[in-house]
Amino acid sequence: MGKVEGQGESWHGHVTAVTVSPEYRRQQLAKKLMNLLEDVSDKIDKAYFVDLFVRASNTPAIKMYEKLGYIIYRRVLRYYSGEEDGLDMRKALSRDVEKKSVIPLKRPITPDELEYD
């Protein structure tokens, strides 16, 4: 499930959730869903990047997203229920020729510093 949001150079696709039932895992369904969202965000919505948030402890998901070309853009302290940190991961799309959207921030942020446009 995903959407597009933001303004200007922050116009982006956002992965709200990717869930694959256990009996259908290891069939690259998550990869196909991610590729579809990326293609729509890139070619139809003309977004600059796609982003998603993942629990810092979810190593299998982080590794999957990295294999798909996502980088850890920033850490959001206590993002999940005020307890666990979240990682904001991003992948630049073709409109972001200079790849500005994926230059990692050097410091973690707090949830109140997030922009929700």
Side-chain angles (χ1 to χ4, degrees), residues 9-13 41 47-51 90-93 101-102:
E9 290 185 354
S10 291
W11 180 243
H12 66 282
S41 296
Y48 285 86
F49 61 94
V50 173
D51 79 345
R90 292 186 176 188
K91 181 177 182 175
L93 299 177
S101 66
V102 293

Side-chain angles (χ1 to χ4, degrees), residues 61-110:
I62 295 165
K63 286 182 180 178
M64 179 192 75
Y65 295 131
E66 288 175 335
K67 282 183 185 176
L68 295 175
Y70 287 77
I71 60 99
I72 298 171
Y73 174 69
R74 60 188 171 181
R75 177 179 287 263
V76 184
L77 302 172
R78 299 172 306 284
Y79 180 74
Y80 289 97
S81 304
E83 296 174 12
E84 185 174 357
D85 292 356
L87 301 178
D88 179 356
M89 299 187 74
R90 292 186 176 188
K91 181 177 182 175
L93 299 177
S94 63
R95 188 171 181 187
D96 185 6
V97 178
E98 296 177 24
K99 308 294 185 221
K100 291 181 191 177
S101 66
V102 293
I103 299 171
L105 292 187
K106 297 188 186 300
R107 67 170 185 86
I109 66 166
T110 59

